[in-house]
């Protein structure tokens, strides 16, 4: 994205530094314009250093040369105003172009995210609410404010939402909703199979792959239910329906219920389901000297295979195959054996495959196998969802 970040003059202006930094780390191009008040809270030099580009403040400033407000408005494909103070919101709602930020706002045609921050009484005042309603009607997406401790020390609704959520809101606003109307069930993370209340069988999966797929699918307009094991620790969006489960049997029951209830158009099994569970789980902790050195296990149900048997006729079923070698060949075999429409094959090992480690993947379907470009879980999630979009309605 090419983003203009408009910084308003409130104490939360310091959080705009982290917002800009995160956007740049994610590969977006950023230009900053500040209100004169904002420049009293944070030095323009901070943003200049973060973005590598000059920062504009007054109407007559020319950070991009003559007619900078026009150049910036034409250059950007997204704009975010954070923090948006009551005064700035009022000016934007009225179209009062008294500084560079408001000039760029008026010249810009595209998605605008506005993140208010102020004392709770100012936020709930009818004047502010009128202005917010006006901005919304003009097409702006309003994010927050959040509830929490305010600058005055009081507790209430008025805090700027966290930079991470702002980035997400901005990506949301610019994302093509090409999965709108599609219902997707995603599984993620490892399952836990208890021997006794303190000992369990599991694996190193963090759930990152499934969480990324779920998050991106929701961003692309899908209705997503994420069924995940206890290892998943990532923050996921509020609009995702989350279903935490513990064991493979719990996961199977929850997935089956959702597949029928939604009903699901797509099932993506990214969970690392434990293949086995203890045959005789104990209700109480076994003392060390009582523990048998060999523990009997039973095979767990194969969730994705069960889903394929029950719903393949109407639901696109996509699995994962993590292997240390011969990954594409075994994915082909797995796809046939389990009756899946597609399998994402990925290499795993001590330092790859799990969490944020190295990532290399292929998409195996009846059309053949394709190496997935990008070598990152984000890129794999995007590639897979493109495939889903192209196959979901016609499968
Ligand atoms: O057979 P394998 O475990 O390699 O297959 C991996 C795929 O099968 C993944 O999509 C995983 O989520 C799914 N799976 C499952 N239930 C199991 C084991 C694996 O749904 N019991």
């Amino acid at each position: 994205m090419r983003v203009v970040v408009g910084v308003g003059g409130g104490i939360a202006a310091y959080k705009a530094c982290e917002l800009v930094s995160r956007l740049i780390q994610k590969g977006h191009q950023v230009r900053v314009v500040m209100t004169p008040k904002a420049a009293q809270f944070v030095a323009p030099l901070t943003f200049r250093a973060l973005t590598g580009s000059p920062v504009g403040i007054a109407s007559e400033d020319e950070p991009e040369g003559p007619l900078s407000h026009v150049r910036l408005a034409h250059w950007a494909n997204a704009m975010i105003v954070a923090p948006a103070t009551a005064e700035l919101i009022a000016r934007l709602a009225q179209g009062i172009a008294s500084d560079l930020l408001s000039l760029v706002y008026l010249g810009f045609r595209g998605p605008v995210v506005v993140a208010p921050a102020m004392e709770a009484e100012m936020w709930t005042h009818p004047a502010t609410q009128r202005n917010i309603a006006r901005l919304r009607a003009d097409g702006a997406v309003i994010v927050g404010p959040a509830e929490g401790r305010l600058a005055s020390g009081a507790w209430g609704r008025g805090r700027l939402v966290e930079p991470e959520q702002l980035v997400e809101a901005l990506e949301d606003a610019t994302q093509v909703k090409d999965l709108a109307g599609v219902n997707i069930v995603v599984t993620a993370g490892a399952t836990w199979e208890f021997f006794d209340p303190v000992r369990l069988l599991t694996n190193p999966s963090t759930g990152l792959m499934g969480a990324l797929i779920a998050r991106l699918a929701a961003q692309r307009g899908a209705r997503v239910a994420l069924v995940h094991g206890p290892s998943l620790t990532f923050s996921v969006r509020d609009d995702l329906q989350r279903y935490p489960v513990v064991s493979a049997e719990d996961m199977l029951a929850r997935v089956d219920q959702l597949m029928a209830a939604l009903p699901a158009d797509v099932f993506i099994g990214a969970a690392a389901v434990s293949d086995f569970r203890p045959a005789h789980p104990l209700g109480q902790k076994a003392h060390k000297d009582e523990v048998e050195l060999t523990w009997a296990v039973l095979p767990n149900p194969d969730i994705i295979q069960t889903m394929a048997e029950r719903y393949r006729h109407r639901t696109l079923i996509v699995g994962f195959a993590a292997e240390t070698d011969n990954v594409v060949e075994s994915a082909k075999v797995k796809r046939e054996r389990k009756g899946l429409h597609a399998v994402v094959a990925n290499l795993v090992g001590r330092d790859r495959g799990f969490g944020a480690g190295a990532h290399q993947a292929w998409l195996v379907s009846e059309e053949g196998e394709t190496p997935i470009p990008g070598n990152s879980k984000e890129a794999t999630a995007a590639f897979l969802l493109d495939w889903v979009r192209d196959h979901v309605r016609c499968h």
Side-chain angles (χ1 to χ4, degrees):
M1 280 188 289
R2 293 186 305 277
V3 190
V4 167
V5 177
V7 184
I11 178 59
Y14 77 93
K15 285 196 191 168
C17 303
E18 196 189 330
L19 167 65
V20 168
S21 164
R22 275 179 186 263
L23 285 169
I24 286 171
Q25 279 171 33
K26 290 197 83 174
H28 304 302
Q29 298 176 57
V30 180
R31 298 284 185 278
V32 173
V33 286
M34 309 173 78
T35 64
K37 274 259 170 50
Q40 293 179 342
F41 282 97
V42 180
L45 185 60
T46 307
F47 291 113
R48 189 189 166 116
L50 284 169
T51 61
S53 300
V55 173
I57 300 169
S59 317
E60 59 277 16
D61 284 356
E62 296 186 340
E64 304 290 326
L67 286 176
S68 276
H69 63 290
V70 180
R71 288 181 193 228
L72 281 166
H74 288 177
W75 169 84
N77 53 20
M79 184 168 181
I80 178 163
V81 182
T85 60
E87 183 262 355
L88 181 54
I89 288 168
R91 278 198 290 123
L92 297 181
Q94 301 298 319
I96 298 172
S98 51
D99 58 9
L100 191 62
L101 197 166
S102 41
L103 278 169
V104 174
Y105 171 76
L106 286 184
F108 177 65
R109 292 293 174 274
V112 178
V113 172
V114 173
M118 64 197 73
E119 287 298 312
E121 291 78 6
M122 295 171 70
W123 170 247
T124 50
H125 195 283
T128 305
Q129 290 302 310
R130 251 192 332 265
N131 291 331
I132 283 290
R134 174 68 67 85
L135 282 182
R136 238 190 221 118
D138 291 344
V141 174
I142 313 295
V143 184
E147 214 172 60
R149 193 179 174 281
L150 306 175
S152 62
W155 192 269
R157 186 166 297 284
R159 277 174 71 86
L160 184 70
V161 302
E162 293 306 313
E164 188 186 346
Q165 282 169 271
L166 292 178
V167 172
E168 201 165 287
L170 199 55
E171 288 177 344
D172 249 26
T174 53
Q175 182 72 62
V176 178
K177 307 291 179 198
D178 58 352
L179 293 175
V182 180
N183 292 338
I184 307 186
V185 175
V186 181
T187 64
T191 59
W192 286 8
E193 315 290 336
F194 284 95
F195 287 100
D196 71 16
V198 299
R199 299 182 180 92
L200 57 96
L201 197 57
T202 188
N203 61 65
S205 167
T206 63
L208 178 59
M209 189 72 242
L212 288 172
I213 292 169
R215 192 186 295 179
L216 183 60
Q219 213 163 57
R220 288 168 69 159
R223 178 171 169 217
V224 182
L226 176 64
V227 183
H228 63 84
S231 60
L232 187 116
T233 52
F234 307 100
S235 65
V236 289
R237 306 154 50 99
D238 297 343
D239 56 350
L240 282 182
Q241 300 166 56
R242 277 180 78 149
Y243 299 91
V245 295
V246 177
S247 67
E249 287 178 303
D250 299 341
M251 188 175 269
L252 174 64
R254 177 59 84 184
V255 163
D256 196 38
Q257 179 236 332
L258 288 166
M259 293 291 282
L262 285 178
D265 303 302
V266 185
F267 175 73
I268 300 178
V273 183
S274 177
D275 291 317
F276 306 101
R277 68 176 184 280
H280 310 292
L282 303 172
Q284 309 223 297
K285 180 183 171 185
H287 293 292
K288 216 186 293 183
D289 46 3
E290 299 164 5
V291 169
E292 288 182 39
L293 295 183
T294 308
W295 296 57
V297 293
L298 291 172
N300 262 332
D302 193 303
I303 298 169
I304 206 164
Q305 189 167 340
T306 312
M307 291 309 112
E309 281 157 14
R310 290 185 191 163
Y311 301 104
R312 194 182 193 284
H313 60 285
R314 65 161 167 85
T315 304
L316 202 57
I317 314 264
V318 182
F320 276 72
E323 302 287 347
T324 51
D325 49 27
N326 266 339
V327 61
V328 171
E329 278 320 304
S330 32
K332 284 183 184 167
V333 173
K334 211 162 281 186
R335 192 183 83 79
E336 294 277 336
R337 179 163 47 85
K338 299 196 185 198
L340 313 181
H341 292 104
V343 170
V344 176
N346 63 308
L347 277 169
V348 289
R350 259 179 195 287
D351 56 351
R352 59 164 58 242
F354 295 110
H359 179 80
Q360 199 178 353
W362 292 259
L363 184 77
V364 176
S365 70
E366 62 186 1
E367 295 147 33
E369 81 241 28
T370 320
I372 300 181
N375 289 341
S376 73
K377 287 187 174 176
E378 284 84 357
T380 293
F383 189 91
L384 173 59
L385 291 176
D386 286 350
W387 188 89
V388 164
R389 177 202 56 210
D390 296 342
H391 291 77
V392 66
R393 290 178 213 286
C394 53
H395 82 274

